[in-house]
Amino acid sequence: MKMRKRNLYRKGRFRIHEWNFAIGSISLVFSVLLLCSCGTSVQIKALVPGMINLEGCRTVAVASVKPYDYHRSEFMSGRYGDSRDVPESIRSSSPAFTPFVVDEVAAEMSRSLERALDQGFYTIIGTTQTDSYITDSELLGYSETAMLGKRGADVLITASIDDMFYEEFVDSEEEETPSGYSQMKYSLNQRAEMVLSYKVKNTLTGEEIDFGVLNGTYPFNRYERYYRTHITSLPAEAAWSESSISYLRVKEPVDMFKEIIRSFSEELTARLTPHYETSYLTLMRNRPEVDTLKEAYELVEKGQLQKAYDIFIREWKNSHHFPSGYNAAILEMSLGRYSQAYVLAGEVWSVTGEDSASKLQKHIAETENNRNSALKQMRD
């Protein structure tokens, strides 16, 4: 079998500059602690602080995100090659990248920025009102921060999309069979990139509290087969006949950018505001097995954590059954009783000497410290 592979077309490529960004890695880390390989898990919803301390700031103004400053010359028309090389079904289903996408992406990023900050801890002055105040500041001779300060905002957040990039291309692969037939395979490849920068300013002093640059990539490869039969004994103009078709599924460029925006939103939430994170702790198995504990595991599955805790803690006090004490500490934590959970985990460690109990105690302490830090940020 002979194989030949080639690129058929490339379209929609645009970039404002080939920049080298010195971007700090800003990652939202979900602390998922799996202390056992499998078993019943308990959800822990914990309050954590923002990476940037905005303590004392209660009202946040969010300006609309400035769209990418493109130039029309950057938008290049696609080239599909000879019509025999790329089937009509592929060409007709491939979306063209239009300049209007940049405005839609900026609007979605503006909405996402508002949602990222609106975690129930700040009063948000939305983009429409903030933009109006910024316009007024230009007319009245105030700085943007001074005007927003007069309107009750403690912090002004501005952002801009500094770079966008999109490309798609189709590869073909021809296989020649011993019977004289050729079958074609087509693979669609798409990729999108976006760079967002933002600033956080104190409206009272005008000073910059935080500045950040986020860089996101959304690769999308969808491989579908498109078969055609090549009868070598016929003239070239009659050589191709379709045997089966599987249409290439093309993802709209704007949807790819929205996926990047979703990741940006998570990073901005982690960086700028106290918020809740969800993790899961796995209960220890019933080993050595105690018959009375079966009900406790069933109650956890049903979400009746207090009743399950009562059974586990009773067994721990009666027999110092290690899994019972360990699981009771996890359930205390899940119920928000961090101090009691910390003391119980320490007791289990002291009695049994099990390292996993010590690790659990440290995790509880860290979770409680994070909550206290978040509460401190939320104070006026």
Side-chain angles (χ1 to χ4, degrees):
M1 179 180 288
K2 299 178 181 179
M3 301 182 69
R4 178 166 56 89
K5 188 172 183 178
R6 57 176 170 160
N7 176 258
L8 294 179
Y9 84 97
R10 188 176 294 269
K11 63 171 290 189
R13 187 181 181 91
F14 70 104
R15 186 186 290 277
I16 185 168
H17 289 299
E18 291 289 345
W19 289 339
N20 291 319
F21 292 98
I23 301 173
S25 175
I26 308 170
S27 60
L28 177 60
V29 178
F30 292 94
S31 58
V32 180
L33 182 62
L34 296 178
L35 298 167
C36 300
S37 59
C38 59
T40 304
S41 294
V42 177
Q43 184 184 86
I44 308 293
K45 188 176 181 181
L47 183 63
V48 298
M51 297 178 189
I52 303 303
N53 188 359
L54 297 181
E55 182 180 350
C57 300
R58 306 305 306 140
T59 303
V60 176
V62 183
S64 292
V65 175
K66 293 182 180 179
Y68 169 63
D69 185 18
Y70 70 90
H71 302 283
R72 290 190 179 275
S73 59
E74 297 170 25
F75 294 85
M76 301 167 60
S77 60
R79 289 291 180 268
Y80 297 91
D82 189 281
S83 60
R84 292 187 305 170
D85 290 335
V86 182
E88 181 64 30
S89 61
I90 297 177
R91 287 186 286 143
S92 61
S93 63
S94 296
F97 193 99
T98 66
F100 300 104
V101 170
V102 297
D103 293 326
E104 187 173 350
V105 169
E108 177 63 24
M109 187 67 244
S110 298
R111 293 187 291 268
S112 183
L113 181 56
E114 276 194 49
R115 291 192 297 266
L117 294 164
D118 191 8
Q119 301 295 313
F121 307 117
Y122 297 137
T123 298
I124 304 297
I125 301 178
T127 56
T128 301
Q129 194 65 56
T130 299
D131 293 347
S132 176
Y133 290 151
I134 289 176
T135 300
D136 291 344
S137 71
E138 297 172 354
L139 296 174
L140 298 176
Y142 291 104
S143 67
E144 294 178 356
T145 51
M147 175 59 76
L148 267 299
K150 289 179 177 293
R151 300 305 182 189
D154 300 308
V155 167
L156 170 63
I157 298 180
T158 58
S160 64
I161 297 174
D162 299 329
D163 192 25
M164 290 174 66
F165 171 79
Y166 172 78
E167 69 173 351
E168 66 180 50
F169 60 91
V170 169
D171 285 329
S172 72
E173 188 173 341
E174 182 180 358
E175 297 180 352
E176 297 181 9
T177 65
S179 58
Y181 294 97
S182 295
Q183 65 178 17
M184 295 295 296
K185 298 178 184 178
Y186 296 96
S187 64
L188 174 70
N189 304 274
Q190 293 175 287
R191 184 165 64 97
E193 296 178 3
M194 190 165 77
V195 176
L196 176 81
S197 63
Y198 70 90
K199 293 180 181 179
V200 182
K201 290 185 177 181
N202 186 311
T203 58
L204 180 64
T205 64
E207 294 180 351
E208 194 173 283
I209 301 172
D210 186 37
F211 168 79
V213 180
L214 306 182
N215 188 8
T217 301
Y218 185 83
F220 180 86
N221 290 314
R222 180 78 180 190
Y223 186 81
E224 295 284 349
R225 291 180 176 179
Y226 185 101
Y227 296 99
R228 296 193 125 192
T229 304
H230 184 202
I231 307 172
T232 56
S233 61
L234 295 179
E237 61 268 20
W240 292 101
S241 63
E242 297 183 4
S243 59
S244 67
I245 298 175
S246 179
Y247 287 94
L248 296 178
R249 298 183 181 180
V250 182
K251 194 173 184 68
E252 294 288 347
V254 68
D255 292 331
M256 297 176 72
F257 286 118
K258 286 180 179 179
E259 291 293 335
I260 297 175
I261 288 172
R262 186 172 292 110
S263 68
F264 284 173
S265 179
E266 293 173 353
E267 294 182 30
L268 289 166
T269 296
R271 191 163 183 82
L272 299 175
T273 177
H275 57 284
Y276 285 97
E277 289 183 359
T278 300
S279 62
Y280 294 86
L281 298 183
T282 303
L283 297 184
M284 191 160 287
R285 289 178 175 274
N286 188 11
R287 299 286 188 275
E289 187 169 337
V290 177
D291 289 340
T292 56
L293 295 180
K294 294 179 181 178
E295 181 185 2
Y297 288 96
E298 293 173 356
L299 288 169
V300 171
E301 294 286 357
K302 295 177 182 178
Q304 300 180 35
L305 303 186
Q306 181 59 53
K307 290 182 178 179
Y309 166 79
D310 293 338
I311 296 174
F312 280 126
I313 194 66
R314 183 168 58 246
E315 183 60 37
W316 166 252
K317 291 180 177 179
N318 289 338
S319 66
H320 282 168
H321 181 250
F322 172 52
S324 295
Y326 183 90
N327 293 344
I330 288 179
L331 292 175
E332 286 263 37
M333 183 181 180
S334 180
L335 291 165
R337 302 194 290 256
Y338 295 121
S339 297
Q340 296 93 318
Y342 179 84
V343 171
L344 179 56
E347 178 186 327
V348 174
W349 178 38
S350 176
V351 172
T352 66
E354 294 285 349
D355 287 342
S356 54
S358 174
K359 292 177 181 178
L360 177 61
Q361 186 184 40
K362 292 177 181 178
H363 179 64
I364 294 169
E366 181 183 357
T367 303
E368 185 171 25
N369 288 338
N370 284 337
R371 181 179 67 170
N372 293 335
S373 296
L375 292 173
K376 185 178 180 182
Q377 288 185 356
M378 293 160 55
R379 294 172 187 159
D380 293 332

